Amino acid sequence: MTPKTPDNRCEQVADAPYRPERDYVLYWMISARRTRDNFGLQRALEEAARLGKPLVVFEALRIGYRWASERFHRFVIEGMHDNKAALDGLPGVTYLPYVEREEGEGKGLLEQLAKRACLVVTDHFPCFFLPRMVSTVAHRLDVRLEVVDSNTILPLFEAPRIFTTAYSFRRHVHKVVLPYLDEMPISEPLKAISLPHSALHLERELEPWKGALGEHALKTPLAALAIDHKVTPTETRGGAKEANRRLDRFLDQLIDSYSERNQVERNIASGLSPYLHFGHISPHTVLRALFKREGWRSDKVAPKPTGSRAGWWNMSEGAEGFIDQVLTWRELGYTFSHIRWQDYHLYESLPEWALKTLEEHATDRRPVVYDLEALDKAKTHDMLWNAAQTQLKREGIIHNYLRMLWAKKILEWSEHPRVALDALLELNNRYALDGRNPNSYSSIFWCLGRFDRAWGPERQIFGKIRYMSSDNTARKVKVRSYIERYR
């Protein structure tokens, strides 16, 4: 463990000074919504201790973003309850959750808090509206704003370049990852760093927002919010407690079978992607637990980087498959979004070979064309695809193997690849608990050629894009009970 947040995790946004004469350090929690293994919280605690000031943790949930719904709001608010339980009563720490009730109601709240802050620390997240939001806010503050990267094991601020394939990125990981495993965040920074006790009186400054702040925020009924009420909560609960419970269950009961995770009729997935997306659990926490379970040490790795999915770590088969998902595929997507944050979500960000082959076949005759409404309602001729779409709407997830098929069929049934991409992003971001995330965008764009290569034989519609069909899928894996479950 490192006693100090590494410099390669922190960047200043805009040009404003420290204000050591002010009253507290402010941590604006926007994506790493947890109290464990959180470099942002750790950095804020360190600075508060150095300055001899208390810490204010401000966790806000706005409503004025695309796809805001009861599903996502409830998941985040459940995480807020866990954070309140962890932060309340700690000397020198004030936790301020805020749930905006009407669009624009929260305008000015962060700036008001920052007026008394020596320093503002927030989370780096290379996706969705967050990069632009942070940049905009930074230029309105008169105090230093730092963004801190807790997203990945390899620091995003040191990402050397775009990697075009998982193989090339995996070789990079094998070459550089070991030192970063010695620079993990302090597991429980609230216990490791103590602050001077100081009573803060913020009632006067926060009076205009008091109805949606603190205890009021956590009691706000979803029905009262101006969000999408048709996308309802799922049975999956949010929060750090549930995230860690799922991690423990996965490592205790499922990881030995992880190599069989493509079997549709078995649920062998870790189920952690929504919690990683909303920041309720850290990839550092996941790897700590995995290493402990495997009894792994860094001297067990192979002597040379191989770029192979198995063998380099010298772990069990299931563990190596899982760590490849956590370290290779997840961080590949985050690195791409970090470097290409302005266009990672656009059709033009696909590799040249994919754009070329998709455009060459854009006018090919489609066997059938479905509009967004038919896709949304799972009204197609394909029962397996309908089942996958139904699972997405009902549970906020699709079985990972079928998620690929789900996307490939939308490409086949859309009048143009651009239309297919629009439908994929709309459906995924509207319903998926792990949507609006670099890893989620990677999954969708992979189905259109990102991080993949040209495949043969060249086909109608798909061109050289990797092909999948429902019939072939049904021959490879058992799907009958899945179709029945999500009829």
Side-chain angles (χ1 to χ4, degrees):
M1 281 192 268
T2 177
K4 176 181 178 295
T5 304
D7 292 339
N8 57 17
R9 294 284 177 175
C10 308
E11 279 198 355
Q12 181 177 358
V13 186
D15 185 19
Y18 276 99
R19 304 285 186 180
E21 72 280 3
R22 292 183 177 178
D23 299 323
Y24 50 76
V25 170
L26 177 62
Y27 174 42
W28 179 25
M29 180 184 281
I30 61 173
S31 63
R33 297 175 179 265
R34 60 182 180 271
T35 60
R36 293 186 60 197
D37 283 324
N38 182 342
F39 276 126
L41 176 60
Q42 179 179 321
R43 170 67 175 163
L45 284 164
E46 289 167 355
E47 286 300 287
R50 183 180 70 83
L51 295 168
K53 305 287 185 176
L55 175 69
V56 174
V57 178
F58 173 55
E59 182 179 8
L61 178 58
R62 60 183 290 190
I63 62 173
Y65 67 89
R66 191 175 180 186
W67 303 299
S69 68
E70 289 191 10
R71 176 168 299 181
F72 307 140
H73 262 58
R74 197 196 71 176
F75 200 91
V76 173
I77 291 171
E78 286 167 345
M80 288 178 163
H81 281 281
D82 286 356
N83 288 337
K84 184 177 188 298
L87 293 165
D88 270 6
L90 293 178
V93 179
T94 299
Y95 176 57
L96 292 176
Y98 175 76
V99 177
E100 188 177 49
R101 295 169 299 184
E102 297 179 5
E103 186 172 353
E105 182 189 53
K107 185 177 181 180
L109 175 53
L110 178 67
E111 289 91 329
Q112 187 67 35
L113 286 167
K115 287 179 181 178
R116 290 177 57 183
C118 311
L119 166 72
V120 180
V121 178
T122 192
D123 306 315
H124 174 54
F125 186 73
C127 192
F128 205 26
F129 65 86
L130 275 71
R132 290 181 176 85
M133 177 183 72
V134 170
S135 178
T136 300
V137 167
H139 288 87
R140 294 204 299 257
L141 302 184
D142 70 343
V143 63
R144 180 183 175 97
L145 173 63
E146 290 185 2
V147 292
V148 181
D149 169 27
S150 278
N151 296 287
T152 49
I153 305 302
L154 303 184
L156 291 176
F157 296 137
E158 291 191 345
R161 60 180 176 87
I162 290 289
F163 292 86
T164 58
T165 65
Y167 174 77
S168 63
F169 185 71
R170 193 180 294 114
R171 281 184 59 85
H172 171 69
V173 170
H174 291 178
K175 289 177 182 178
V176 305
V177 70
L178 294 183
Y180 295 117
L181 296 178
D182 294 326
E183 289 188 348
M184 287 198 177
I186 297 172
S187 182
E188 298 189 64
L190 293 167
K191 294 182 179 179
I193 302 172
S194 61
L195 301 180
H197 180 69
S198 178
L200 289 176
H201 300 287
L202 297 168
E203 292 82 3
R204 181 178 299 175
E205 292 96 328
L206 302 182
E207 175 68 24
W209 301 279
K210 69 176 184 179
L213 196 64
E215 289 284 352
H216 298 288
L218 303 184
K219 295 178 180 178
T220 303
L222 296 177
L225 303 178
I227 55 178
D228 189 343
H229 298 288
K230 294 180 181 179
V231 182
T232 56
T234 71
E235 294 181 359
T236 302
R237 310 295 294 183
K241 290 181 180 178
E242 178 64 15
N244 282 279
R245 187 192 70 80
R246 285 176 179 253
L247 173 61
D248 290 343
R249 175 180 176 271
F250 173 69
L251 295 180
D252 289 344
Q253 302 177 23
L254 299 173
I255 195 167
D256 289 334
S257 303
Y258 193 69
S259 60
E260 302 170 27
R261 62 190 179 278
N262 285 347
Q263 295 301 316
V264 174
E265 298 190 347
R266 301 181 63 191
N267 184 16
I268 304 174
S270 69
L272 293 175
S273 60
Y275 303 94
L276 287 164
H277 166 62
F278 284 106
H280 293 164
I281 196 169
S282 164
H284 297 92
T285 301
V286 174
L287 288 193
R288 283 184 204 273
L290 179 66
F291 293 159
K292 182 178 179 181
R293 193 256 187 196
E294 292 287 306
W296 182 84
R297 304 183 312 273
S298 60
D299 61 0
K300 289 189 174 184
V301 300
K304 292 183 178 181
T306 64
S308 174
R309 284 179 292 182
W312 188 79
W313 293 92
N314 278 308
M315 294 188 187
S316 66
E317 181 181 8
E320 293 221 348
F322 182 57
I323 202 171
D324 192 53
Q325 293 295 314
V326 174
L327 259 180
T328 302
W329 284 102
R330 182 175 182 275
E331 303 215 355
L332 175 63
Y334 270 80
T335 299
F336 188 94
S337 289
H338 171 73
I339 296 175
R340 299 281 297 268
W341 66 274
Q342 293 181 306
D343 72 343
Y344 66 89
H345 59 301
L346 300 180
Y347 180 73
E348 289 76 14
S349 69
L350 286 167
E352 288 186 12
W353 72 264
L355 289 171
K356 182 176 184 294
T357 195
L358 287 170
E359 290 300 322
E360 286 175 348
H361 290 271
T363 58
D364 289 357
R365 182 180 178 85
R366 271 56 179 165
V368 63
V369 173
Y370 293 111
D371 61 16
L372 181 61
E373 182 179 4
L375 295 171
D376 190 337
K377 294 180 178 180
K379 298 291 187 181
T380 80
H381 68 281
D382 188 318
M383 295 178 66
L384 180 56
W385 190 94
N386 292 344
Q389 172 66 11
T390 300
Q391 184 187 19
L392 175 64
K393 294 184 68 173
R394 185 186 302 174
E395 300 178 0
I397 60 171
I398 301 177
H399 186 283
N400 195 51
Y401 189 65
L402 294 183
R403 197 175 192 170
M404 297 183 290
L405 174 69
W406 172 83
K408 297 284 187 180
K409 298 303 288 185
I410 291 180
L411 172 60
E412 183 178 346
W413 297 335
S414 298
E415 59 190 20
H416 190 280
R418 288 180 182 273
V419 177
L421 178 59
D422 288 345
L424 287 166
L425 294 179
E426 177 62 31
L427 295 174
N428 189 70
N429 291 344
R430 183 188 299 175
Y431 296 114
L433 284 168
D434 64 357
R436 309 149 313 281
N437 180 275
N439 206 31
S440 187
Y441 280 94
S442 291
S443 296
I444 288 173
F445 276 83
W446 178 87
C447 293
L448 301 177
R450 181 183 293 174
F451 306 140
D452 205 359
R453 61 175 176 83
W455 286 75
E458 190 165 352
R459 298 174 181 270
Q460 290 289 300
I461 304 172
F462 287 85
K464 297 178 182 178
I465 300 294
R466 188 192 300 244
Y467 177 74
M468 288 184 72
S469 73
S470 297
D471 289 342
N472 286 343
T473 300
R475 283 192 286 268
K476 291 178 181 179
V477 295
K478 297 177 181 178
V479 298
R480 181 176 297 177
S481 66
Y482 179 86
I483 292 173
E484 287 298 320
R485 189 181 315 134
Y486 298 108
R487 254 177 120 76

